């Protein structure tokens, strides 16, 4: 059984903060059985990620370790764990909730900054090379359509996402 520790005396605990987020409300149902970890393809490949551990540390209030660490970014959102959790903890969604908190605090992996810049500049995460463009007709593929990057920028602005990068830069 896990007991929330840090943050309780000072007000809202870290798990309370997660519970209030979209997807985060089931975190406190976890009883640490480990089914998620044994179902997780990422945990099988690397000792740097264990969903049970992410849940445990979050319940313990270790928010600096969770928000500032790499592990929450290693989940590949396959939802294996979520289908198998006997407590119906929505683990992948909990991890999304934690990621959103981390992003708001300026903890954003560099790869996501690159994605943002690419989407903001070109409307695509991956820039299409001239080679690929030239190859398309030889494969009977039509030319690529413009991405509508202005519309993409409006979405980024409307969601407030364009405000996050300066926050990241300030935190560095
Ligand atoms: S499977 Fe569910 S209850 Fe078991 S450790 Fe993972 S999140 Fe907790
Ligand atoms: S959703 Fe994430 S934590 Fe769950 S099994 Fe897949 S990779 Fe592992």
């Amino acid at each position: 059984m896990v007991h929330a520790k840090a943050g309780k005396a000072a007000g809202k605990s870290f798990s309370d903060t997660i519970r209030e987020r979209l997807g985060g409300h089931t975190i406190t149902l976890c009883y640490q059985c480990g089914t998620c970890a044994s179902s997780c393809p990422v945990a099988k490949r690397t000792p740097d990620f264990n969903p049970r551990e992410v849940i445990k540390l979050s319940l313990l209030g270790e928010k600096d370790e969770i928000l500032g660490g790499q592990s929450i970014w290693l989940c590949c959102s396959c939802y294996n764990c979520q289908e198998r959790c006997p407590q119906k903890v929505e683990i992948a969604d909990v991890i999304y909730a934690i990621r959103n908190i981390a992003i708001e605090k300026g903890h954003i992996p560099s790869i996501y900054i690159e994605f943002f810049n690419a989407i903001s500049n070109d409307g695509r995460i991956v820039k299409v090379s001239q080679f690929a463009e030239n190859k398309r007709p030889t494969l009977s593929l039509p030319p690529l359509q413009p991405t509508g990057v202005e519309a993409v920028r409006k979405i980024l602005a409307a969601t407030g996402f364009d405000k996050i990068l300066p926050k990241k830069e300030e935190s560095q």
Side-chain angles (χ1 to χ4, degrees):
M1 186 62 148
V2 172
H3 300 278
K5 107 183 148 176
K8 215 45 174 176
K12 195 191 292 181
S13 70
F14 185 42
S15 58
D16 286 341
T17 302
I18 296 168
R19 274 165 52 90
E20 288 171 2
R21 294 303 183 107
L22 181 68
H25 64 287
T26 57
I27 186 170
T28 47
L29 297 175
C30 174
Y31 58 21
Q32 289 290 293
C33 68
T35 304
C36 51
S38 60
S39 309
C40 177
V42 180
K44 282 186 175 64
R45 302 290 300 180
T46 172
D48 295 336
F49 181 67
N50 179 324
R52 183 191 61 74
E53 196 69 14
V54 170
I55 302 276
K56 183 185 83 176
L57 291 173
S58 299
L59 291 172
L60 287 170
E62 302 290 352
K63 66 178 177 183
D64 292 340
E65 183 172 347
I66 289 293
L67 298 180
Q70 291 301 307
S71 65
I72 55 172
W73 304 102
L74 296 177
C75 167
C76 68
S77 309
C78 69
Y79 285 78
N80 266 359
C81 55
Q82 202 151 315
E83 287 186 4
R84 294 177 183 172
C85 173
Q87 283 294 90
K88 301 201 182 312
V89 178
E90 296 173 352
I91 304 149
D93 296 329
V94 166
I95 291 174
Y96 274 120
I98 298 172
R99 284 176 176 174
N100 284 334
I101 296 168
I103 285 172
E104 285 175 14
K105 304 276 183 202
H107 299 296
I108 313 173
S110 306
I111 186 78
Y112 289 95
I113 305 287
E114 288 170 25
F115 287 165
F116 174 84
N117 286 332
I119 290 175
S120 185
N121 292 333
D122 301 318
R124 291 191 175 98
I125 286 181
V126 178
K127 202 172 176 66
V128 179
S129 69
Q130 194 59 50
F131 173 81
E133 295 235 43
N134 294 343
K135 194 80 181 162
R136 291 180 69 84
T138 69
L139 299 170
S140 303
L141 294 169
L144 288 171
Q145 298 298 308
T147 53
V149 66
E150 288 303 328
V152 172
R153 285 182 193 142
K154 277 186 192 163
I155 293 169
L156 293 173
T159 56
F161 203 74
D162 62 338
K163 309 278 187 312
I164 291 172
L165 283 194
K167 203 167 186 177
K168 164 76 179 171
E169 278 149 19
E170 280 164 21
S171 75
Q172 287 178 332

